[in-house]
Amino acid sequence: MHSGLPPFVITIETGFKEFRVNDRSVQNPVTWCGGKDKAAYDVLVKEHYRHVFGVCFAMLANVHDAEDAAQETMLKGFLKMRTLDDIERFRPWIVRVARNLCIDRLRRQSRRKLPVEKPAGLSRQDLDAQYDLEQAIKRLPQELRLPLLMFYFDGRNAKSIAASMNISHSGACQRLRMARRQLHQLLSERAQR
Amino acid sequence: MNRECDKIRDLIADSVTGILSPDQARQLDEHLSGCTDCRNYADALKHEDVLLTQLVAGLDTDMRNRQRRLLEALDRCQSEQRETITKWRIIMKSPITKIAAAAAIITAVTFGVHHFYGSVENVAIADILQPFLTARTATFKVTIGGEGIPPQEYDGMFMEPCRMRHTQPGGATVIVDLEQGKFVTLIPQTMQAVVLEVTNVPEDPGDLNFFREIRNRILKAQPLDDESVEFLGEQEVDGQLAIGYHIRKPGLDGTVWADSETKMPVRMEIREDPMVIALSNIVFNVDLDEALFSLEIPQGYSVTTFRRDLSEPAEQDFVESFRVWAEHMDGRFPSELDRNQVNVFMKYQQEKMKEKGIEPSVDDITQLQQTIIDMTRGFPFVESLPAESDWHYAGKDVRFGDADAPIFRYRPKGSQTYRVIYGDLHVEDVAPDELPK
């Protein structure tokens, strides 16, 4: 006979159960987790974590969820580094991972209402304004919230938003314009209540 | 607000972003000098700009701590257990995984058997094994485990000549009738049926039927001699007092436990490193309704059909499997040739689906399943090669299309030259002293 596989018919009932049949593949990245590679990845974390966090915050509009998602993203990146051919492509690659994870989260999110951290050193009036701002941001559509917040995370750079979102520069500018106008409208509506 | 003011407000927004041209800036200033509403609007947007800047600055105050927490998590990643759990959490959380979970693939997996001869017959164990050889029907529980393998179990049924049914607890039922050349999987939860139509079923198809395979292995291990059978004594097994024997023969490394009094088998364990497959709750010659093995699809089920050629794979099938692999694994070849690679392949495809961020359609999943079936067609070729074929695999770091890099070599039986498969999947005959390093 012709093979060395086990003597039964495996029903791979699930897309993931096959991992359970023999999970050795999952352990492979452990070898990559060696000290040298870990040190190399720490450098990437320091360079890109803030940006990844920004993407997650922009998508999830919640600090705690964003931190969870950013951490999950970077861990996943660590485990999957070997699939990345060109380290120069790390930024767009990890951002794609982050966005996909956030999309997953948004789909299953049970809408926990966690307060956004209050920046220190602000007056009561400023804190109220911040709170209103955060609530309005949450109501912005995803495609506008992402470029708007990334604009502030990325040093007010529309070009980097365009690259990060894989859209044209004029497209990024247009979204920023619409985001500002919609945000203002949402804040005005809030003030009138 | 008139139309001009509306246009101006776009300019106000762009001015806050800092992307106005000098002409636009001039136009804006002119308008603002005469329009209070737009001036107020501009002030409001500037204030919001300040608030947004403060919001991000506030988030930045804790960024260092967040980064530290991440680095700590990465440190923990060096622990294998943590790494696996993390990865599993990622996998388990994905809605796409859940979608994929609704689909079923049947993969027929087979193994090799060998002929060996002994000299001394062991009467006691022969009696114990006899029911496996003569039973018309049997029911049993199959438990699969082993180091690093999460346990699985299902209830199995066998009926002569070559019918089998097994059901995972709360899950799918698989019915196999090799005379009909069909494997049918029924998933009641999702009302799905997956049919695998097999062609070129081997004349001795025991290894496609779990019970028949055990029968074949026992037959081919005959006669059992004292050297290959070790008496394990008497102990309680599955709640019964039982005597046990360990059989060690190439092709059969197993333990059988039988009721101390009746000598009927109560448990059989077969080791296929690293996997251990255990049969328990064994009942022979129980009356089973033929309808249990019906291949008819219940009404209301959606049906997906796959096809698989079960003939012994040849070199060209092997090459084709490499092609399917490379085309679906971004131009890479397997890191090594072992059974686990099927898992690696499937896992990678799922990750790709997940990274697309959209749920795969039924057609996508069906296509993937057929791809997996096609991909697994040729790889058993390597397991049919004897040691003297001197086969060697070197494809790990070779890119698909590299005509100079060899990925596999072997010497066909009776041949003076080697067959060498290269990264572009062309195959050459190469003399031993000219083999690539």
Side-chain angles (χ1 to χ4, degrees), chain B residues 149-389:
Chain B
I149 299 170
Q152 286 187 75
E153 64 177 43
Y154 59 82
D155 294 316
M157 291 180 183
F158 162 77
M159 182 181 265
E160 286 276 25
C162 212
R163 281 176 284 185
M164 188 176 69
R165 173 191 171 102
H166 59 75
T167 305
Q168 291 165 336
T173 293
V174 181
I175 301 161
V176 182
D177 188 335
L178 288 171
E179 284 193 326
Q180 306 289 326
K182 269 189 186 177
F183 294 59
V184 172
T185 302
L186 302 173
I187 309 159
Q189 291 89 339
T190 53
M191 303 272 284
Q192 282 181 298
V194 182
V195 180
L196 179 67
E197 293 179 356
V198 293
T199 51
N200 298 317
V201 178
E203 274 183 32
D204 178 7
D207 58 357
L208 298 173
N209 178 316
F210 185 57
F211 193 86
R212 278 282 296 257
E213 181 51 36
I214 288 182
R215 177 177 288 181
N216 281 358
R217 284 195 174 202
I218 293 169
L219 279 172
K220 287 172 180 171
Q222 298 295 326
L224 295 167
D225 54 41
D226 288 341
E227 282 183 15
S228 57
V229 180
E230 178 192 358
F231 182 58
L232 299 175
E234 187 175 46
Q235 68 179 65
E236 194 173 297
V237 174
D238 296 339
Q240 287 173 265
L241 201 56
I243 52 170
Y245 293 87
H246 189 170
I247 306 161
R248 283 190 191 84
K249 282 229 164 181
L252 180 58
D253 178 4
T255 308
V256 61
W257 292 92
D259 186 292
S260 294
E261 286 184 16
T262 65
K263 304 288 185 289
M264 289 299 280
V266 293
R267 187 177 184 82
M268 176 119 183
E269 287 179 1
I270 293 180
R271 268 165 286 277
E272 284 276 317
D273 191 40
M275 206 175 292
V276 179
I277 303 138
L279 227 67
S280 58
N281 294 356
I282 312 165
V283 184
F284 296 99
N285 293 322
V286 62
D287 280 337
L288 293 177
D289 189 341
E290 298 233 353
L292 285 167
F293 300 90
S294 167
L295 296 169
E296 213 167 290
I297 310 293
Q299 258 194 341
Y301 274 59
S302 64
V303 184
T304 312
T305 302
F306 300 104
R307 285 170 187 85
R308 169 80 180 242
D309 182 349
L310 288 182
S311 62
E312 197 163 330
E315 181 192 276
Q316 66 192 55
D317 301 309
F318 189 43
V319 170
E320 190 52 33
S321 284
F322 277 124
R323 185 186 311 284
V324 175
W325 179 286
E327 283 175 354
H328 290 81
M329 297 290 275
D330 298 331
R332 295 169 191 275
F333 292 108
S335 57
E336 52 192 314
L337 294 183
D338 66 17
R339 302 166 198 177
N340 191 43
Q341 296 305 313
V342 180
N343 299 336
V344 174
F345 184 88
M346 289 198 252
K347 191 174 185 58
Y348 194 81
Q349 302 313 312
Q350 259 198 331
E351 289 291 324
K352 280 210 291 196
M353 281 182 172
K354 267 170 61 181
E355 282 180 11
K356 276 188 194 165
I358 47 168
E359 290 170 0
S361 66
V362 173
D363 283 350
D364 290 340
I365 292 173
T366 305
Q367 179 61 46
L368 174 60
Q369 289 166 339
Q370 184 64 56
T371 299
I372 290 165
I373 289 170
D374 293 343
M375 189 272 294
T376 53
R377 157 87 179 124
F379 284 131
F381 173 76
V382 73
E383 303 200 28
S384 70
L385 293 175
E388 56 267 28
S389 70

